[in-house]
């Protein structure tokens, strides 16, 4: 068998095809397609114990990643994991508390950066790479396997705040008041994210997505310095090692900065959040790159005619160009699964 056939990352999958030319019907996958809205997820999650126990259990993580594909005709599976396995792996332990979310012992000074270790991360995250490998073996060849990571800015906010934040007081303090110190942390994260994504490609991921969920809270200088520059560095290193693996960037809240974002960072596709105007995005963003998005997860939860209208609008605006159907943010836990089934049917044109 020729080498290229053995190497799944070189094969064309349903999603990677969208990077070459517009499809007759856009491919579809959904952020947080595996999760609490599915009763079978809640069952597996209970079996695993904690959320992170689930992330680090390859057998169960494969199971929950496959659950949405058994129910719905989706074009991709996404690795089941979390963006916060990076600090957890680097040596800043993460815990998920019921009703609170992630909890970390926050980094308070540059001295706290020193113990963070890339080598520790590689070893700690071995079960995650095993999950990718097993998922690739379980999936039909043409179904894409998306690997992912948080981007440095978004991960750093959790490392510095110690939990989810509304105002990003500490993250912004470091970003704007101590940029030279903050840069030390961001450089560690550039290396960590690159290593994490490369390991996923080597284990069988054929498309990558970077989540910079809090990109939208920074000013112009902050966005260029802490969102675009680190991502450009990561993508440059990834492309040197894995030139054929497309990278999608979800920089939530980037607004007018979605224009030209692919060129400024080197990514192959830009995921648009729910508030982006459809016609503007077609003319300014889709004309220069592949776009992904952007149904409001709240509208998916509502379903019915409201959802049909919103999906029809997105398809009318974007489906004739290079486009991957998705939500503008992750599925909400109280979404009825039958709404997801109806969404997939509508996008398929059935
Ligand atoms: O999309 C997928 O299906 C892949 C898996 C995935 C999860 N989280 C699983 C998860 C991905 C890609 C993420 C990304 C992630 N995690 C982001 C970026 C995307 C976004 O939503 O903006 C962020 C900010 C996180 C951090 C995180 N993880 C928080 C703040 C929380 C707690 C809030 C919550 O919804 O409970 C999580 C937990 C989490 N990550 C769950 C899942 C399925 C729920 C855990 C549970 O079972 O209780």
């Amino acid at each position: 068998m020729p080498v290229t056939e053995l190497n799944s990352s070189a094969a064309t999958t349903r999603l990677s095809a969208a990077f070459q030319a517009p499809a007759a019907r856009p491919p579809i996958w959904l952020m947080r397609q595996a999760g609490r809205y599915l009763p079978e997820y809640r069952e597996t999650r209970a079996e695993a114990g904690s959320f992170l126990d689930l992330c680090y259990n390859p057998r169960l993580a494969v199971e929950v990643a496959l659950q949405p594909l058994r129910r719905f005709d989706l074009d991709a599976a996404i690795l089941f994991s979390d963006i916060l396995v990076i600090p957890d792996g680097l040596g800043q332990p993460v815990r998920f508390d019921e009703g609170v979310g992630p909890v970390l012992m926050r980094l308070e000074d540059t001295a706290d950066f020193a113990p963070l270790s890339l080598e520790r991360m590689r070893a700690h995250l071995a079960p995650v790479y095993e999950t990718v490998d097993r998922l690739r073996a379980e999936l039909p060849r043409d179904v894409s396997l998306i690997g992912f990571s948080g981007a440095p800015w978004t991960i750093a906010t959790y490392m510095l705040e110690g939990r989810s934040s509304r105002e990003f007081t500490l993250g912004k303090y470091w970003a704007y008041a101590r940029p030279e110190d903050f840069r030390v942390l961001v450089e560690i994260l550039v290396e960590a994210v690159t290593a994490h994504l490369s390991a996923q490609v080597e284990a069988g991921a054929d498309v990558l997505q970077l989540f910079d969920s809090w990109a939208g809270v920074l000013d112009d200088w902050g966005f260029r310095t802490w969102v675009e520059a680190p991502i450009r560095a990561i993508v440059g290193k990834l492309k040197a090692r894995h030139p054929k693996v497309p990278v999608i960037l979800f920089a939530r809240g980037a607004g007018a900065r979605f224009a030209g974002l692919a060129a400024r960072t080197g990514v192959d596709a830009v995921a648009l959040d729910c508030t982006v105007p459809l016609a503007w995005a077609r003319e300014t963003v889709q004309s220069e790159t592949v776009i992904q998005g952007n149904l409001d997860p709240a509208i998916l939860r509502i379903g019915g005619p409201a959802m049909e209208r919103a999906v029809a609008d997105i398809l009318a605006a974007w489906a004739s160009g290079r486009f991957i159907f998705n939500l503008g943010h992750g599925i909400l836990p109280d979404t009825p699964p039958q709404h997801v089934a109806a969404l997939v049917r509508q996008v398929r044109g059935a």
Side-chain angles (χ1 to χ4, degrees):
M1 194 184 279
V3 176
T4 48
E5 282 178 41
L6 289 169
N7 182 355
S8 61
S9 64
T12 298
T13 58
R14 295 200 215 166
L15 226 58
S16 65
F19 292 88
Q20 274 122 50
R25 281 277 156 187
I28 176 170
W29 71 280
L30 303 171
M31 292 193 277
R32 289 279 180 100
Q33 63 190 29
R36 285 174 294 198
Y37 77 106
L38 292 176
E40 60 270 34
Y41 169 86
R42 297 196 295 270
E43 222 169 273
T44 312
R45 165 84 158 73
E47 187 189 334
S50 78
F51 170 64
L52 275 183
D53 288 337
L54 175 55
C55 292
Y56 295 142
N57 182 322
R59 180 177 65 84
L60 297 180
V62 166
E63 165 58 26
V64 294
L66 293 175
Q67 285 168 350
L69 283 98
R70 293 192 192 116
R71 278 184 183 249
F72 317 116
D73 181 19
L74 296 162
D75 294 303
I78 178 163
L79 162 68
F80 190 83
S81 177
D82 195 81
I83 64 164
L84 298 179
V85 299
I86 286 194
D88 197 55
L90 288 170
Q92 184 185 14
V94 177
R95 198 173 81 228
F96 283 83
D97 285 357
E98 223 56 62
V100 179
V103 180
L104 302 77
M105 185 94 87
R106 65 186 177 83
L107 306 179
E108 294 189 60
D109 211 339
T110 46
D112 297 335
F113 303 164
L116 300 172
S117 155
L118 234 66
E119 244 150 82
R120 187 189 182 284
M121 184 192 83
R122 281 199 191 90
H124 193 78
L125 300 189
V128 175
Y129 311 132
E130 187 184 333
T131 301
V132 174
D133 183 65
R134 290 196 195 190
L135 264 174
R136 189 61 273 173
E138 294 272 332
L139 286 168
R141 278 192 75 76
D142 67 323
V143 172
S144 304
L145 175 53
I146 302 168
F148 74 89
S149 173
W153 163 247
T154 291
I155 300 175
T157 64
Y158 290 94
M159 297 174 84
L160 297 169
E161 306 276 349
R163 58 185 60 221
S164 298
S165 168
R166 215 168 275 164
E167 304 205 353
F168 304 95
T169 309
L170 291 167
K172 287 186 178 183
Y173 167 72
W174 284 80
Y176 296 118
R178 299 177 65 177
E180 288 320 311
D181 291 335
F182 187 49
R183 193 178 305 279
V184 175
L185 178 60
V186 168
E187 279 170 8
I188 293 170
L189 290 173
V190 165
E191 294 306 321
V193 169
T194 305
H196 187 46
L197 290 174
S198 289
Q200 292 175 52
V201 171
E202 281 145 27
D206 57 85
V207 176
L208 297 171
Q209 179 158 317
L210 273 166
F211 288 85
D212 219 347
S213 304
W214 304 119
V217 306
L218 291 168
D219 77 348
D220 203 41
W221 176 87
F223 190 87
R224 278 187 273 118
T225 311
W226 306 125
V227 172
E228 292 183 354
I231 289 173
R232 186 163 60 242
I234 291 163
V235 174
K237 289 167 194 277
L238 281 171
K239 293 286 176 193
R241 291 189 214 172
H242 308 290
K244 290 198 178 138
V245 178
V247 181
I248 306 168
L249 171 58
F250 176 64
R252 192 158 63 96
R257 296 175 292 209
F258 281 122
L261 185 60
R264 293 193 304 277
T265 55
V267 300
D268 304 278
V270 169
L272 302 168
D273 62 64
C274 317
T275 64
V276 173
L278 302 179
W280 176 85
R282 181 183 58 229
E283 272 138 48
T284 16
V285 192
Q286 196 179 30
S287 56
E288 55 191 27
T289 191
V290 179
I291 56 173
Q292 175 177 281
N294 77 340
L295 180 68
D296 187 338
I299 300 180
L300 173 63
R301 176 170 58 188
I302 293 162
M307 180 171 84
E308 280 170 36
R309 190 275 309 153
V311 173
D313 284 354
I314 293 170
L315 291 173
W318 294 348
S320 62
R322 292 186 300 164
F323 171 47
I324 299 166
F325 197 100
N326 207 312
L327 305 175
H329 200 190
I331 296 185
L332 297 163
D334 50 352
T335 301
Q338 63 270 28
H339 293 186
V340 177
L343 167 65
V344 175
R345 275 198 304 274
Q346 188 178 351
V347 173
R348 292 265 178 249

